[in-house]
Amino acid sequence: MSKNKYVIGNWKMNGDLSSANLAQEIESGVIGLNLQNTKVGICPPYTLIGYIQSKLIGGNLLSGAQDCHFLSNGAHTGDISAIMLSQIGVQIVLVGHSERRADHGESNEIVNKKAQAALDNGLLPIICVGETLEQRESGAAISTVLGQIENSIPKAAEAEKIIIAYEPVWAIGTGKVAGPDDILEMHAAIRKLLKTKFENADAIPLLYGGSVNASNAASILHLANVDGALVGGASLKSADFLAIISAAENK
Ligand code: PGA
């Protein structure tokens, strides 16, 4: 039996009430594809999550969020906690996206606590890692990413309850995709490290992200150790996103 693949749309700070139409198009496309091996999720901005859920049939798309605080409540103006997300039916949450790490100074330790908060509240955390261009050019890509993995995954996490997304920072939103050899090398290195930490490391889906689109999805998703994609820009167009989903399903 093949392992589930995941295609997750990260809408970032995009969308408005009319984006419920986009979500509905994605949902009906997913129903039409009759997926057997692929799970699909969307992570809209917080303000749209409940509204979009109310406009969907439900059960076909994982309801996602883009971040959560590591505490349950308190004096943290502007933050949203994992329990708040779980109470409205959110199922997956991104933690440690490179834009959070860069814009909000999130360290591996904070990401680790966020992932733990997600687990504590029954959410599936998608733990994001990735090197900058400087780190890649100085030959530190693999050590950087393995260090992020080492420190961002909660100690008590179970393999079946986490997802990892490798997103080279220089490939996000730039149209530049990591080459197949770079993706293969990084995903193999991540899997090897996971095997030292988890008995069942093969159960952990390893997603690739960074300028995945309808044209390049099949070639990326066919690579060994690539179990799906985290998709930004192309998740905002239903036809493109559905083409990526088909590519994952037909891997
Ligand atoms: P992109 O974003 O597909 O627009 O490059 C990916 C991401 O940031 O998750």
Side-chain angles (χ1 to χ4, degrees):
M1 202 193 78
S2 65
K3 167 166 55 167
N4 267 323
K5 273 157 284 178
Y6 287 82
V7 178
I8 307 296
N10 172 12
W11 289 11
K12 310 193 179 187
M13 199 169 69
N14 295 296
D16 54 28
L17 294 181
S18 72
S19 310
N21 297 333
L22 169 62
Q24 285 169 330
E25 284 166 21
I26 295 169
E27 184 184 50
S28 42
V30 161
I31 293 169
L33 286 169
N34 189 25
L35 301 173
Q36 305 299 313
N37 307 313
T38 309
K39 291 188 187 287
V40 178
I42 52 172
C43 304
Y46 293 127
T47 50
L48 296 176
I49 294 174
Y51 180 66
I52 285 175
Q53 285 172 348
S54 75
K55 297 289 178 185
L56 297 178
I57 298 165
N60 301 292
L61 302 182
L62 293 165
S63 176
Q66 299 171 20
D67 184 47
C68 65
H69 198 279
F70 54 84
L71 295 173
S72 302
N73 49 51
H76 302 285
T77 303
D79 277 312
I80 301 281
S81 67
I83 193 167
M84 291 171 176
L85 296 173
S86 96
Q87 280 172 352
I88 63 159
V90 168
Q91 297 153 293
I92 56 174
V93 62
L94 308 182
V95 292
H97 189 282
S98 62
E99 287 153 16
R100 298 288 316 174
R101 290 179 188 261
D103 296 356
H104 300 270
E106 291 185 7
S107 63
N108 291 323
E109 291 64 35
I110 290 176
V111 175
N112 187 309
K113 289 202 265 182
K114 289 182 175 209
Q116 184 63 53
L119 292 170
D120 290 345
N121 289 285
L123 303 175
L124 183 58
I126 301 179
I127 301 168
C128 304
V129 295
E131 82 285 0
T132 62
L133 189 57
E134 295 69 40
Q135 287 163 333
R136 175 153 290 272
E137 285 177 344
S138 68
I142 291 189
S143 60
T144 300
V145 168
L146 295 187
Q148 289 172 334
I149 302 243
E150 190 74 60
N151 294 305
S152 301
I153 298 181
K155 283 229 160 16
E158 294 165 46
E160 293 75 12
K161 296 196 174 153
I162 59 170
I163 294 178
I164 290 174
Y166 166 58
E167 300 197 298
V169 176
W170 48 272
I172 294 178
T174 57
K176 288 188 203 144
V177 185
D181 291 345
D182 291 337
I183 299 176
L184 278 170
E185 183 186 33
M186 185 64 81
H187 280 233
I190 295 172
R191 186 74 72 197
K192 192 169 163 208
L193 173 62
L194 293 173
K195 285 191 170 156
T196 67
K197 302 174 90 56
F198 295 91
E199 244 172 61
N200 197 10
D202 283 333
I204 302 177
L206 265 186
L207 315 189
Y208 171 80
S211 295
V212 176
N213 60 38
S215 322
N216 62 25
S219 62
I220 296 170
L221 289 161
H222 279 74
L223 296 171
N225 277 312
V226 176
D227 306 310
L230 180 55
V231 185
S235 72
L236 297 170
K237 292 186 200 121
S238 58
D240 291 10
F241 194 48
L242 288 164
I244 297 169
I245 295 163
S246 298
E249 174 72 4
N250 296 321
K251 178 178 173 174

